[in-house]
Amino acid sequence: MATVYEMAAFLLFALVTVGSSIGVVLVRDVWHSALLLGAALLSVAVHYVMLQAEFLAAMQILVYVGGVLILITFAVMLTRTEPTDADEPEVSRT
């Protein structure tokens, strides 16, 4: 039977997983969305540890957090553009 501490830890990380996953979809900034995806993937790894599936937790961290999230981070950093003067709306000065 699960103890109170195990149940509290499960509920905490379940809320982190769901909150981060919702944040990935709702946040407009791509960089913050990638960081929230990392938090969601790490909390899923914690769930694997709680299920005593340490190998799956290690693969979750190595493959998804270490691989996929790094590729997303590089893609965001390489494709981000700085706003120029041409992108700003013109203001009439009368």
Side-chain angles (χ1 to χ4, degrees):
M1 185 96 168
T3 65
V4 175
Y5 296 118
E6 290 173 352
M7 186 65 71
F10 174 78
L11 289 175
L12 174 70
F13 284 106
L15 288 175
V16 169
T17 304
V18 171
S20 298
S21 301
I22 291 171
V24 168
V25 177
L26 296 180
V27 171
R28 293 191 60 146
D29 187 23
V30 180
W31 176 251
H32 290 116
S33 180
L35 290 177
L36 286 169
L37 178 64
L41 292 174
L42 283 173
S43 63
V44 169
V46 171
H47 285 291
Y48 285 141
V49 169
M50 292 174 74
L51 290 171
Q52 297 178 352
E54 289 84 10
F55 180 75
L56 283 178
M59 290 300 107
Q60 175 82 17
I61 292 171
L62 289 175
V63 173
Y64 287 108
V65 178
V68 173
L69 197 62
I70 295 299
L71 286 175
I72 291 172
T73 302
F74 283 148
V76 167
M77 288 189 321
L78 292 174
T79 58
R80 181 171 281 197
T81 58
E82 296 296 324
T84 61
D85 292 335
D87 294 336
E88 297 177 4
E90 292 187 28
V91 177
S92 63
R93 300 177 197 265
T94 58

